[in-house]
Amino acid sequence: MPGPNSVPLLDVNRDNRPYREEFMSALAGVLDSGRFLFGPDVVELESEVAKYSQAQFAVGCASGSDALLLALMALNIGPGDEVIVPSFTFFASVSCITRLGATPVFIDIDPDTYNMDVDQLDSLIGPKTAAIIPVHLFGQCARIDRICQIAAEHDIPVVEDAAQSIGAAYHSRPAGSWGTVGCFSFYPTKNLGGMGDGGMLTTNDEAFADRLRLFAGHGMRPRYYHKVVGINSRLDTFQAAVLRVKMNHLPQAVEGRRTNATRYHHLFREAGLVEDGPVTLPVIDENAFSVWNQYSIRIADGRRDEVRQYLADNGVGSEIYYPVPMHQQECFENIGFKAGDLSETERASREILNLPIFPSLTVEEQNRVVEVVGQFYQSGEAKKAA
Ligand SMILES: *Cc1c(COP(=O)(O)O)cnc(C)c1O
């Protein structure tokens, strides 16, 4: 049982509770319609996400992972192709590449933002480069203007992995509207989180949107005539109905996350943990509007795992995104990268600690998180002095 002072990393129920009646009536509407696939809520959600992301077209699919896979399938990525992608990301940003027989080329990250280090991009582009996948990590856009510029110079498509960053923007232009295609996830922990799996693709190219739909529907057109070998990847109507309710409240949820991020900044500073202290706060690029899917601090003194254990012992939830970079995963050993190849990626994996930042987190809970981190260091100092 959680104690009175415990703080969860995430409380989906608390976030959803105010909208219970809206969810119930949306679900009842789908039940009564009997249209469980391709229902009107799916069409509406597609146009709502397209509008929100300032993209012309949106195509629903079964998950963020499928969105990435479909994007690469529709781009004809296959054996012999190279795709540039960060190693400091979730597995799905990379498995979509290897699943199609193509080869990931891992790029290191900027230590401030944890996003692709754009200064290394040019040197990694070669004759086999068939796509670039910038990941907008933790709710903050990568330097997508520069990435798209470099990609355009080489005529290479850009697949934005915006799974964590719906509503994020760079130079006021939203994630998912910059590249050839944008990929979103509705996994419950994402900013637009459903009650199960779901995903969406955005694009400004009508023919490409049509191709994405073709691949998401078994490559079948017309019925029982298959043009290409696609997959079955659909966003079901129940999920779309739930997501439309959440979509209505997404701006408030983003505001909640932004408020919480600002408060952590002040609290950690006031606690004396930042200046000459053990905590490095997250850095937001001056051109970026972050939607704060995660709040990630760095503990650079080598005690990150002890801090995490101390938080857990005191009922405070935290997580490490990501403890093992993709180039060091067992299943990607054959790609040929090894420990030491991506120094900032590997350092981030050792130092990062993700703290609770969900929209309905309370001021008291945030105080408690910072207090427990402070207590760890006070008790640590006390131990050293003894
Ligand atoms: C969550 C996530 C995905 C995959 O989305 P699913 O809907 O869980 O399949 C892909 N990339 C990143 C960066 C993610 O965080």
Side-chain angles (χ1 to χ4, degrees):
M1 277 297 286
N5 278 332
S6 69
V7 184
L9 178 65
L10 191 68
D11 191 339
V12 169
N13 280 338
R14 202 196 301 172
D15 282 341
N16 284 337
R17 202 170 293 130
Y19 313 123
R20 190 172 196 282
E21 291 313 312
E22 290 177 59
F23 288 130
M24 294 310 280
S25 88
L27 291 169
V30 178
L31 176 63
D32 293 341
S33 81
R35 297 189 58 190
F36 304 131
L37 293 170
F38 306 109
D41 283 308
V42 177
V43 179
E44 289 300 322
L45 184 71
E46 285 175 345
S47 68
E48 286 163 12
V49 169
K51 189 169 172 224
Y52 191 69
S53 305
Q54 289 173 31
Q56 274 184 278
F57 306 96
V59 177
C61 65
S63 68
S65 304
D66 273 7
L68 288 158
L69 183 63
L70 286 163
L72 297 194
M73 289 176 93
L75 287 168
N76 280 326
I77 305 291
D81 290 333
E82 291 180 354
V83 178
I84 299 173
V85 65
S87 168
F88 195 66
T89 183
F90 178 63
F91 176 72
S93 316
V94 178
S95 60
C96 59
I97 304 167
T98 58
R99 208 176 281 284
L100 296 174
T103 305
V105 174
F106 293 116
I107 184 166
D108 209 351
I109 53 167
D110 170 342
D112 283 340
T113 63
Y114 306 104
N115 281 324
M116 175 183 291
D117 179 357
V118 176
D119 294 335
Q120 302 187 16
L121 191 53
D122 237 334
S123 67
L124 295 178
I125 293 175
K128 293 181 182 172
T129 309
I132 301 168
I133 305 183
V135 181
H136 304 310
L137 207 64
F138 302 151
Q140 174 170 214
C141 283
R143 285 175 57 196
I144 191 70
D145 56 344
R146 188 75 189 113
I147 294 166
C148 287
Q149 193 182 7
I150 296 169
E153 282 161 16
H154 297 268
D155 201 20
I156 297 166
V158 173
V159 177
E160 291 179 72
D161 183 342
Q164 301 181 6
S165 297
I166 190 164
Y170 204 79
H171 288 301
S172 303
R173 185 171 156 189
S177 70
W178 287 84
T180 313
V181 53
C183 303
F184 294 94
S185 165
F186 306 132
Y187 183 78
T189 65
K190 304 294 160 81
N191 280 22
L192 183 60
M195 297 181 182
D197 278 311
M200 200 164 280
L201 295 130
T202 51
T203 180
N204 291 317
D205 179 336
E206 188 166 18
F208 194 72
D210 187 62
R211 207 170 145 72
L212 291 168
R213 276 193 209 284
L214 179 69
F215 275 92
H218 287 303
M220 183 165 75
R221 197 173 285 163
R223 210 166 173 74
Y224 305 122
Y225 289 77
H226 298 268
K227 285 191 184 311
V228 294
V229 181
I231 59 175
N232 170 25
S233 185
R234 295 183 282 237
L235 179 67
D236 63 69
T237 316
F238 275 116
Q239 208 54 250
V242 162
L243 288 164
R244 288 189 68 205
V245 173
K246 300 271 309 235
M247 189 76 201
N248 273 333
H249 303 290
L250 184 57
Q252 291 135 266
V254 169
E255 256 336 284
R257 287 173 182 275
R258 288 175 59 83
T259 303
N260 293 345
T262 306
R263 194 177 290 128
Y264 269 138
H265 272 65
H266 293 310
L267 291 174
F268 275 114
R269 286 185 178 283
E270 280 166 19
L273 290 161
V274 180
E275 307 291 343
D276 300 320
V279 172
T280 307
L281 297 178
V283 176
I284 299 302
D285 181 327
E286 59 182 5
N287 300 313
F289 175 84
S290 176
V291 292
W292 294 99
N293 181 243
Q294 297 295 333
Y295 190 86
S296 318
I297 61 170
R298 261 184 207 269
I299 306 281
D301 61 5
R303 304 185 73 185
R304 190 268 316 265
D305 293 339
E306 289 173 69
V307 174
R308 178 154 197 248
Q309 186 58 52
Y310 190 80
L311 286 167
D313 292 345
N314 286 278
V316 175
S318 67
E319 190 50 90
I320 295 166
Y321 302 116
Y322 295 92
V324 183
M326 288 309 122
H327 72 285
Q328 293 180 278
Q329 295 288 344
E330 186 179 339
C331 65
F332 294 141
E333 264 169 14
N334 61 338
I335 296 170
F337 282 73
K338 56 186 189 314
D341 284 349
L342 300 168
S343 57
E344 290 300 346
T345 294
E346 292 167 34
R347 189 166 72 87
S349 290
R350 288 192 301 271
E351 296 180 352
I352 203 159
L353 187 63
N354 302 79
L355 301 176
I357 192 168
F358 59 94
S360 57
L361 186 70
T362 65
V363 178
E364 293 72 27
E365 287 173 320
Q366 284 197 280
N367 279 324
R368 178 70 185 149
V369 172
V370 176
E371 178 187 56
V372 174
V373 175
Q375 272 171 12
F376 170 83
Y377 280 100
Q378 278 153 18
S379 61
E381 295 311 315
K383 258 184 241 157
K384 263 186 253 161

